[in-house]
Amino acid sequence: MSSVWFSLGRESQEILNQYSNGSCEADECFCMIMSIEGYDKTRNHFINFIENLKITKPILHNGLVTVFKNYFSETEALHSKSNEAVGCSVENGFLTSDFGFELDMELAKSLSLSDSNPKKTSGNTPSLYDSSNEPSGSASHSITKKPKNNKSTPDSLNGNIEKNDGHTKTSIPGLQVANLSNHKHKKKKKKGNALPRQISNPPVIYWLRRDLRMYDNPALVAAASSNAPVILVFIWSDHEEDPLDVVATGGATKLWLHYALKFLNQSFVEKFGNGILYYNTKTEDSHNIMKQIIQQTGANTLFINDVYEPFLKERDDALCNKLTKSGIQCNRFHSYLLHEPSSINTESLGMRGIGSVTHFMECSRQSSVEPIGHPIESPGILPKCTSLPNSQTLDELELAKMPRRKNGSVIDWAAPIVKSWNFSEDGAWDALGSFLTEGIKKYEKESCRADHVNTCRISPYLHFGQISPRAILTEAKHMKSPKFLRKLAWRDLSYWLLSLWPDLPSQPTRPQYRHQRWSKNKSHLKAWQRGNTGFPLVDAAMRQLWLTGWMNNYMRHVVASFLISYLHLHWIEGYRWFQDTLLDADVAINAMMWQNGGMSGLDQWNFVMHPIDAAMTCDPDGTYVRQWCPELASVPKEFIHQPWKCPPSIMKRCKVELGNQYPNRVITDLEVAREQSLQDVVEVRKKFPDFVDRRSGNDLVPVDNGRLLIPVITRMEFKYKTTNPEAKDNPHTAVLRGYRSRKRDEAIAFANERDFLASTMNECVQRQERHQKALKQGNF
């Protein structure tokens, strides 16, 4: 069957709307649409036309599918009896062949029989995610077919119905007009109250949260298909969004949210003439705001897509419970994740391995009772309520409010971020499309590269629901990049773990690690935050974060390893800084990742990024460092990642003085710092032996309210250091050396030999470093 999309005519859309309202039967609806659209188009694309009914009104959808299958099975049998090929095209409502005349008679016969012996339709209500129920002719969405800004709607049923004061208009040309029109009037007379019901139809409310899109938005589509005016509402509440002070709403995310709402509202207004109502609940809660809107508009139905942070889920559960008790219907949909956290269980696998993405994926597979399904099309209509309550403006939400200096001038820290991103739903599809056509070719082997765009810059769009994970999965599943697709599994895993450990952002999952020693050096923390550590790769990444709100995943590991394993600063400091500065800051993902990097998470990562050697892998020529640390732009590539080794004469020619144009290193002996990090963990493990499994040496984590201890993934070097505390060499070191170039090391040595002054100073520096190391080891 052809996958080309066609537009459903206005008359057919109106007929479909009448059927959805109960104004006509399935036989009548099908026959009228076929008389307008033609035999071929109906046969090939009718199932696509009615796709959205599968979600909003599955029983009605099943009725049309039954009629469709019955009719074409009969006509195919009739066609097989013919000795010569006959054209079946329809023009202006008439079939163009002798065989077409027989089909016309079949249409009339089916209409006359429908009154005396109407066909009964039955069937179980299909699930939103039940892809097995999807007819084989359903159009498949592809990246090349995605309409920009959803301005043109594909052929699956979108309800493009034109209304005039609550009436629906239908004009059917040709021979069938008299028969179909009379039958339609007969049905309306039987109904009697169809028109008053439409006029008195109360509006419905669609509450936007982190689902700022039109495509594959089940709550929005259901609201649009309710045959009632739709009120678009966005409520902002600082105290509800972050009741636990876990920086759930940092400055960067609020900035993104402001612009995402701005672009989405423009799309709603341009396409439907229906805009978003904004409310900032500084003193009231969302329930009171929603109750006021309901009282003022007479709305009796609420549509929302669920969010899964425990504190937000509790808010939504309480709000919907109150509204339901007061007679308001609350319709909640799942679309933010691929799997709802509550649907995952460990009955068959057990808890061993929890925290591993492989364990989670298998639990998901065995727990899933419904397939993920396919994305659904954007709504075709979104009727506006004629009487809307007062609301605030987007600016009054103060999401993008910039701080001011004492003299009153604005500190516009957001300017470089605004220049760097397209905040619209189209921006999400552009980012995905660019990755799937270019970046994905190198993603499996070179996603670490900081100097190349080999990663998918889609995380902010995914966080705010400007593109759904199901749409990404649909687009990317044929691209042969399991590493990329596993990112969606990691995302689902983080929300599952947050549902099991709600204090994930603030308390170690391994409780014994609450007693781990951490540095409280505020100057080191500030240097890390501002990109002034003296280690170019770390500084470049932190400056990129500050100026654009983003860095790739490999660089996040680099800066996290430096903060935790070399500066000994608490992982919570890194988590909170990321939450405030990342555009994609996500409580569940960030908390899980920082806990894992900070040794206290369920999956204790078996690697540490070396701040110099990692650069040989991700930025071998220094391109990335030169971009974000321009003061080092003239430094030769042999020295770009360790400028303290560059001969002074060369540094002078490059007009760089360490401690002036570029900062000195905050620490000088990385090996000693790492050894101290190991010792800190060993001390915790020795202090709490009951939380160490005697057989495997793995850490134990309490579950089931402390009634059960389960072993979790533990880094090999920690286990070795615990049993061999005096060993100087650890065969299980987790430090990733990266790709080290012998030629580069030789070039550094040669440059220092040629420059006598540099050689002398280098020897002095090495002597001083050896002296300091000896002092720390207690040899003097």
Side-chain angles (χ1 to χ4, degrees), residues 12 15 18 24 27-37 107 111 170 172 180-181 184:
S12 298
I15 293 168
Q18 290 179 14
C24 65
D27 288 343
E28 181 181 2
C29 173
F30 170 75
C31 293
M32 287 192 291
I33 288 178
M34 189 163 104
S35 69
I36 297 170
E37 303 295 339
L107 280 170
L111 285 173
T170 305
I172 308 175
L180 300 183
S181 180
K184 177 181 66 177

mmCIF file of all heavy atoms in Angstrom, residues 12 15 18 24 27-37 107 111 170 172 180-181 184:
data_model
loop_
_atom_site.group_PDB
_atom_site.id
_atom_site.type_symbol
_atom_site.label_atom_id
_atom_site.label_comp_id
_atom_site.label_asym_id
_atom_site.label_seq_id
_atom_site.Cartn_x
_atom_site.Cartn_y
_atom_site.Cartn_z
ATOM 1 N N SER A 12 -15.532 15.504 3.671
ATOM 2 C CA SER A 12 -15.309 14.206 4.330
ATOM 3 C C SER A 12 -14.986 14.384 5.806
ATOM 4 O O SER A 12 -15.433 13.603 6.656
ATOM 5 C CB SER A 12 -14.166 13.462 3.638
ATOM 6 O OG SER A 12 -14.487 13.182 2.298
ATOM 7 N N ILE A 15 -18.212 15.012 7.599
ATOM 8 C CA ILE A 15 -18.981 13.764 7.739
ATOM 9 C C ILE A 15 -18.398 12.910 8.861
ATOM 10 O O ILE A 15 -19.121 12.335 9.682
ATOM 11 C CB ILE A 15 -18.985 12.995 6.404
ATOM 12 C CG1 ILE A 15 -19.779 13.768 5.356
ATOM 13 C CG2 ILE A 15 -19.560 11.587 6.584
ATOM 14 C CD1 ILE A 15 -19.598 13.248 3.953
ATOM 15 N N GLN A 18 -19.509 14.280 12.098
ATOM 16 C CA GLN A 18 -20.892 13.907 12.392
ATOM 17 C C GLN A 18 -20.958 12.485 12.950
ATOM 18 O O GLN A 18 -21.680 12.205 13.914
ATOM 19 C CB GLN A 18 -21.746 14.010 11.128
ATOM 20 C CG GLN A 18 -21.994 15.448 10.663
ATOM 21 C CD GLN A 18 -22.821 15.499 9.400
ATOM 22 O OE1 GLN A 18 -23.431 14.497 9.016
ATOM 23 N NE2 GLN A 18 -22.826 16.638 8.741
ATOM 24 N N CYS A 24 -24.566 10.119 12.586
ATOM 25 C CA CYS A 24 -24.778 9.168 11.508
ATOM 26 C C CYS A 24 -24.136 7.842 11.889
ATOM 27 O O CYS A 24 -23.332 7.775 12.808
ATOM 28 C CB CYS A 24 -24.227 9.703 10.181
ATOM 29 S SG CYS A 24 -22.427 9.918 10.144
ATOM 30 N N ASP A 27 -22.051 2.776 8.419
ATOM 31 C CA ASP A 27 -22.279 2.531 6.992
ATOM 32 C C ASP A 27 -22.425 3.842 6.237
ATOM 33 O O ASP A 27 -21.856 4.043 5.166
ATOM 34 C CB ASP A 27 -23.549 1.691 6.794
ATOM 35 C CG ASP A 27 -23.336 0.247 7.229
ATOM 36 O OD1 ASP A 27 -22.173 -0.146 7.355
ATOM 37 O OD2 ASP A 27 -24.330 -0.454 7.448
ATOM 38 N N GLU A 28 -23.231 4.717 6.811
ATOM 39 C CA GLU A 28 -23.514 5.993 6.153
ATOM 40 C C GLU A 28 -22.246 6.831 6.027
ATOM 41 O O GLU A 28 -21.955 7.406 4.976
ATOM 42 C CB GLU A 28 -24.582 6.745 6.950
ATOM 43 C CG GLU A 28 -24.974 8.084 6.351
ATOM 44 C CD GLU A 28 -26.006 8.799 7.191
ATOM 45 O OE1 GLU A 28 -26.386 8.256 8.252
ATOM 46 O OE2 GLU A 28 -26.409 9.894 6.799
ATOM 47 N N CYS A 29 -21.491 6.905 7.092
ATOM 48 C CA CYS A 29 -20.249 7.685 7.088
ATOM 49 C C CYS A 29 -19.291 7.167 6.027
ATOM 50 O O CYS A 29 -18.739 7.932 5.229
ATOM 51 C CB CYS A 29 -19.612 7.628 8.472
ATOM 52 S SG CYS A 29 -17.975 8.379 8.566
ATOM 53 N N PHE A 30 -19.127 5.843 5.987
ATOM 54 C CA PHE A 30 -18.198 5.251 5.036
ATOM 55 C C PHE A 30 -18.629 5.509 3.595
ATOM 56 O O PHE A 30 -17.827 5.895 2.740
ATOM 57 C CB PHE A 30 -18.099 3.748 5.301
ATOM 58 C CG PHE A 30 -17.354 2.987 4.238
ATOM 59 C CD1 PHE A 30 -15.972 3.071 4.160
ATOM 60 C CD2 PHE A 30 -18.037 2.218 3.303
ATOM 61 C CE1 PHE A 30 -15.277 2.384 3.164
ATOM 62 C CE2 PHE A 30 -17.346 1.531 2.321
ATOM 63 C CZ PHE A 30 -15.966 1.616 2.260
ATOM 64 N N CYS A 31 -19.906 5.330 3.319
ATOM 65 C CA CYS A 31 -20.385 5.485 1.943
ATOM 66 C C CYS A 31 -20.277 6.931 1.474
ATOM 67 O O CYS A 31 -19.909 7.198 0.316
ATOM 68 C CB CYS A 31 -21.839 5.006 1.843
ATOM 69 S SG CYS A 31 -22.026 3.234 2.086
ATOM 70 N N MET A 32 -20.614 7.875 2.356
ATOM 71 C CA MET A 32 -20.527 9.281 1.958
ATOM 72 C C MET A 32 -19.085 9.688 1.684
ATOM 73 O O MET A 32 -18.801 10.417 0.728
ATOM 74 C CB MET A 32 -21.157 10.168 3.035
ATOM 75 C CG MET A 32 -22.675 10.089 3.080
ATOM 76 S SD MET A 32 -23.437 11.378 4.095
ATOM 77 C CE MET A 32 -22.923 10.872 5.721
ATOM 78 N N ILE A 33 -18.179 9.230 2.526
ATOM 79 C CA ILE A 33 -16.764 9.582 2.317
ATOM 80 C C ILE A 33 -16.256 8.970 1.024
ATOM 81 O O ILE A 33 -15.537 9.616 0.252
ATOM 82 C CB ILE A 33 -15.919 9.128 3.519
ATOM 83 C CG1 ILE A 33 -16.216 10.021 4.730
ATOM 84 C CG2 ILE A 33 -14.426 9.180 3.191
ATOM 85 C CD1 ILE A 33 -15.472 9.639 5.981
ATOM 86 N N MET A 34 -16.659 7.736 0.721
ATOM 87 C CA MET A 34 -16.199 7.119 -0.508
ATOM 88 C C MET A 34 -16.780 7.808 -1.732
ATOM 89 O O MET A 34 -16.109 7.947 -2.771
ATOM 90 C CB MET A 34 -16.550 5.635 -0.535
ATOM 91 C CG MET A 34 -15.899 4.907 -1.715
ATOM 92 S SD MET A 34 -15.858 3.126 -1.549
ATOM 93 C CE MET A 34 -17.169 2.708 -2.650
ATOM 94 N N SER A 35 -18.008 8.305 -1.617
ATOM 95 C CA SER A 35 -18.605 9.010 -2.757
ATOM 96 C C SER A 35 -17.873 10.313 -3.047
ATOM 97 O O SER A 35 -17.854 10.788 -4.178
ATOM 98 C CB SER A 35 -20.090 9.292 -2.483
ATOM 99 O OG SER A 35 -20.230 10.266 -1.463
ATOM 100 N N ILE A 36 -17.253 10.885 -2.002
ATOM 101 C CA ILE A 36 -16.522 12.149 -2.174
ATOM 102 C C ILE A 36 -15.075 11.897 -2.568
ATOM 103 O O ILE A 36 -14.554 12.499 -3.518
ATOM 104 C CB ILE A 36 -16.576 12.973 -0.868
ATOM 105 C CG1 ILE A 36 -18.019 13.361 -0.541
ATOM 106 C CG2 ILE A 36 -15.704 14.228 -0.996
ATOM 107 C CD1 ILE A 36 -18.190 13.953 0.829
ATOM 108 N N GLU A 37 -14.399 10.994 -1.865
ATOM 109 C CA GLU A 37 -12.966 10.788 -2.058
ATOM 110 C C GLU A 37 -12.642 9.840 -3.217
ATOM 111 O O GLU A 37 -11.536 9.898 -3.765
ATOM 112 C CB GLU A 37 -12.326 10.249 -0.772
ATOM 113 C CG GLU A 37 -12.535 11.128 0.445
ATOM 114 C CD GLU A 37 -11.853 12.483 0.313
ATOM 115 O OE1 GLU A 37 -10.912 12.603 -0.504
ATOM 116 O OE2 GLU A 37 -12.261 13.419 1.019
ATOM 117 N N LEU A 107 -23.451 0.897 -3.239
ATOM 118 C CA LEU A 107 -23.533 1.967 -2.251
ATOM 119 C C LEU A 107 -24.975 2.247 -1.864
ATOM 120 O O LEU A 107 -25.318 2.338 -0.680
ATOM 121 C CB LEU A 107 -22.898 3.250 -2.814
ATOM 122 C CG LEU A 107 -21.385 3.356 -2.780
ATOM 123 C CD1 LEU A 107 -20.935 4.564 -3.579
ATOM 124 C CD2 LEU A 107 -20.898 3.475 -1.350
ATOM 125 N N LEU A 111 -26.966 1.585 1.814
ATOM 126 C CA LEU A 111 -27.656 2.632 2.560
ATOM 127 C C LEU A 111 -29.095 2.243 2.856
ATOM 128 O O LEU A 111 -29.605 2.471 3.958
ATOM 129 C CB LEU A 111 -27.629 3.942 1.758
ATOM 130 C CG LEU A 111 -26.285 4.668 1.744
ATOM 131 C CD1 LEU A 111 -26.337 5.841 0.786
ATOM 132 C CD2 LEU A 111 -25.944 5.155 3.137
ATOM 133 N N THR A 170 -21.989 20.043 5.131
ATOM 134 C CA THR A 170 -21.577 18.982 4.235
ATOM 135 C C THR A 170 -22.174 19.228 2.866
ATOM 136 O O THR A 170 -23.365 19.497 2.746
ATOM 137 C CB THR A 170 -22.059 17.611 4.748
ATOM 138 O OG1 THR A 170 -21.588 17.436 6.078
ATOM 139 C CG2 THR A 170 -21.547 16.485 3.877
ATOM 140 N N ILE A 172 -22.240 17.296 -0.856
ATOM 141 C CA ILE A 172 -21.858 16.080 -1.563
ATOM 142 C C ILE A 172 -22.329 16.184 -3.005
ATOM 143 O O ILE A 172 -23.527 16.217 -3.260
ATOM 144 C CB ILE A 172 -22.488 14.839 -0.908
ATOM 145 C CG1 ILE A 172 -22.162 14.846 0.587
ATOM 146 C CG2 ILE A 172 -22.024 13.559 -1.578
ATOM 147 C CD1 ILE A 172 -22.822 13.739 1.328
ATOM 148 N N LEU A 180 -27.997 10.187 -0.250
ATOM 149 C CA LEU A 180 -27.256 10.335 0.991
ATOM 150 C C LEU A 180 -27.811 11.478 1.818
ATOM 151 O O LEU A 180 -27.914 11.396 3.025
ATOM 152 C CB LEU A 180 -25.777 10.574 0.693
ATOM 153 C CG LEU A 180 -25.072 9.466 -0.091
ATOM 154 C CD1 LEU A 180 -23.591 9.804 -0.250
ATOM 155 C CD2 LEU A 180 -25.219 8.135 0.617
ATOM 156 N N SER A 181 -28.194 12.565 1.146
ATOM 157 C CA SER A 181 -28.718 13.718 1.872
ATOM 158 C C SER A 181 -30.018 13.380 2.555
ATOM 159 O O SER A 181 -30.251 13.724 3.703
ATOM 160 C CB SER A 181 -28.892 14.899 0.916
ATOM 161 O OG SER A 181 -29.402 16.009 1.595
ATOM 162 N N LYS A 184 -29.339 11.270 5.489
ATOM 163 C CA LYS A 184 -28.730 12.070 6.552
ATOM 164 C C LYS A 184 -29.801 12.846 7.299
ATOM 165 O O LYS A 184 -29.811 12.897 8.526
ATOM 166 C CB LYS A 184 -27.703 13.024 5.939
ATOM 167 C CG LYS A 184 -27.064 13.955 6.932
ATOM 168 C CD LYS A 184 -26.085 14.894 6.268
ATOM 169 C CE LYS A 184 -26.819 15.829 5.338
ATOM 170 N NZ LYS A 184 -25.914 16.812 4.715
#
